[in-house]
Amino acid sequence: MSQKPTVLLTNPIHPDGEAILAPHANLILAPDTKADTLRVLARDVDGIIVRALLPDDICDHAPKLKGMVRHGVGLDFIPVEQATRRGVMVANLPGCNTQAVTEYFFAALFRLRRPLGDIEAVLRRDGWNAARPLADATREVAGDTLGVIGVGAIGSRIARIAREGFGMTVIGVNKGPFPEGVTEVSPDELFSRSDVIAVTCALTEETRGLVSRRLIGRMKPDAVLINTSRGPVVETQALVDALTAGAIAGAAVDVYDSQPVPADSPLFSVPRLLMTPHVAAITATSMRAMTLGSVDEMLRILRGERPQNLVNPATYAA
């Protein structure tokens, strides 16, 4: 009987998926996601299920590696070009967390616009008469203009719900085609017209720093920005300066230039900034779906089959 292949898990996966994969592969769970740790553990593995940033030279340290599967969508955690040169298949799971990120966006939007938690806290602490006036400063989203940067799967879902569910006008900037109901505009027009800005594009060399100081400077004073993309898409210091100066009404960020955010980061003292630890795509529902999807793709790779969502097809010889 041939020896089972070995799969490295950069982070824990859902137990339902682990139970499916374990009979077919020896599983190694990384104790941490430091680059040196992952390099050492990759030495004898056949596959990697990726939930954390891999070092750019991971393939140099994994001579047996057949494939890497992103437990999610974004490919910036995986050195795809190096993998392609080494003949290592890379797969991801398009659409697996679209609903989770969409729901996060609206949760963040309502937290910025109608912060019911804050009102409840005042009610409990200071009483009815102190809490009720806080509602006077809240604002509905109906009739607002939503600007979407990156109208892909997530951006399109956000746009449709905003338009059909809340009566918002939706404008967008996108590299590809535009869905029905979203009007294409320039970045300058998007930032000057929008009451709410959704940053949902992928991180590429073209989008790095796209949300620049100049564009943030065009935002309305009562506008808010929500970033569920990647930290480097937004010029962080420019956003911090705008919030600190009161030049914009608020922002929500789930992603950062470096992660995890250090405990002493000045971001924690920035006013009107909602911070979450890269959890927009994470719910119990999405975690199970992403695990099952990544396990399915990894099993295909281990069997020598083509993954359904192979992102570097040159690596597969039919």
Side-chain angles (χ1 to χ4, degrees), residues 104-117:
Y104 172 95
F105 170 82
F106 285 103
L109 174 57
F110 292 127
R111 174 65 179 80
L112 293 170
R113 281 294 182 80
R114 300 192 70 181
L116 301 184

Side-chain angles (χ1 to χ4, degrees), residues 138-204:
T138 65
R139 177 175 159 184
E140 299 172 19
V141 300
D144 276 358
T145 296
L146 168 65
V148 181
I149 302 174
V151 197
I154 293 169
S156 295
R157 180 77 63 87
I158 289 172
R160 181 173 60 82
I161 292 172
R163 184 170 57 89
E164 297 179 5
F166 297 105
M168 300 177 78
T169 298
V170 184
I171 58 179
V173 172
N174 198 45
K175 186 175 181 180
F178 281 77
E180 181 181 357
V182 180
T183 302
E184 181 178 7
V185 296
S186 68
D188 280 41
E189 184 176 353
L190 185 144
F191 276 81
S192 62
R193 283 182 55 188
S194 296
D195 302 292
V196 181
I197 296 174
V199 185
T200 58
C201 59
L203 175 62
T204 66

Side-chain angles (χ1 to χ4, degrees), residues 32-40 53 55 58:
D32 60 66
T33 57
K34 296 175 182 177
D36 285 342
T37 300
L38 297 176
R39 289 185 182 108
V40 171
L53 179 67
I58 189 69

Side-chain angles (χ1 to χ4, degrees), residues 39-105:
R39 289 185 182 108
V40 171
L41 294 177
R43 182 175 55 194
D44 296 315
V45 305
D46 300 273
I48 305 176
I49 293 181
V50 182
R51 288 190 59 202
L53 179 67
L54 297 177
D56 288 341
D57 61 350
I58 189 69
C59 294
D60 294 338
H61 299 267
K64 295 174 55 182
L65 189 60
K66 298 180 177 67
M68 296 181 279
V69 179
R70 178 69 171 96
H71 188 281
V73 181
L75 292 168
D76 51 308
F77 282 2
I78 299 176
V80 178
E81 290 186 9
Q82 189 208 40
T84 303
R85 290 195 300 269
R86 292 299 187 91
V88 175
M89 290 186 279
V90 176
N92 67 343
L93 307 172
C96 65
N97 54 26
T98 297
Q99 187 62 29
V101 179
T102 299
E103 291 186 11
Y104 172 95
F105 170 82

Side-chain angles (χ1 to χ4, degrees), residues 101-277:
V101 179
T102 299
E103 291 186 11
Y104 172 95
F105 170 82
F106 285 103
L109 174 57
F110 292 127
R111 174 65 179 80
L112 293 170
R113 281 294 182 80
R114 300 192 70 181
L116 301 184
D118 293 349
I119 294 174
E120 184 204 21
V122 173
L123 172 63
R124 290 178 178 274
R125 185 184 67 241
D126 301 326
W128 184 276
N129 291 333
R132 276 181 60 84
L134 298 179
D136 293 342
T138 65
R139 177 175 159 184
E140 299 172 19
V141 300
D144 276 358
T145 296
L146 168 65
V148 181
I149 302 174
V151 197
I154 293 169
S156 295
R157 180 77 63 87
I158 289 172
R160 181 173 60 82
I161 292 172
R163 184 170 57 89
E164 297 179 5
F166 297 105
M168 300 177 78
T169 298
V170 184
I171 58 179
V173 172
N174 198 45
K175 186 175 181 180
F178 281 77
E180 181 181 357
V182 180
T183 302
E184 181 178 7
V185 296
S186 68
D188 280 41
E189 184 176 353
L190 185 144
F191 276 81
S192 62
R193 283 182 55 188
S194 296
D195 302 292
V196 181
I197 296 174
V199 185
T200 58
C201 59
L203 175 62
T204 66
E205 286 310 308
E206 290 179 335
T207 62
R208 187 178 296 273
L210 173 64
V211 182
S212 63
R213 182 176 295 274
R214 184 183 69 80
L215 288 176
I216 292 172
R218 297 182 67 88
M219 291 175 63
K220 299 177 181 180
D222 56 356
V224 298
L225 181 146
I226 300 171
N227 184 14
T228 59
S229 169
R230 288 291 186 266
V233 172
V234 177
E235 190 176 334
T236 301
Q237 191 58 52
L239 181 62
V240 167
D241 291 346
L243 289 166
T244 302
I248 62 175
V253 294
D254 186 53
V255 286
Y256 305 87
D257 294 332
S258 62
Q259 298 181 184
V261 180
D264 61 351
S265 170
L267 287 173
F268 289 109
S269 62
V270 174
R272 295 175 295 279
L273 177 63
L274 171 63
M275 298 173 61
T276 52

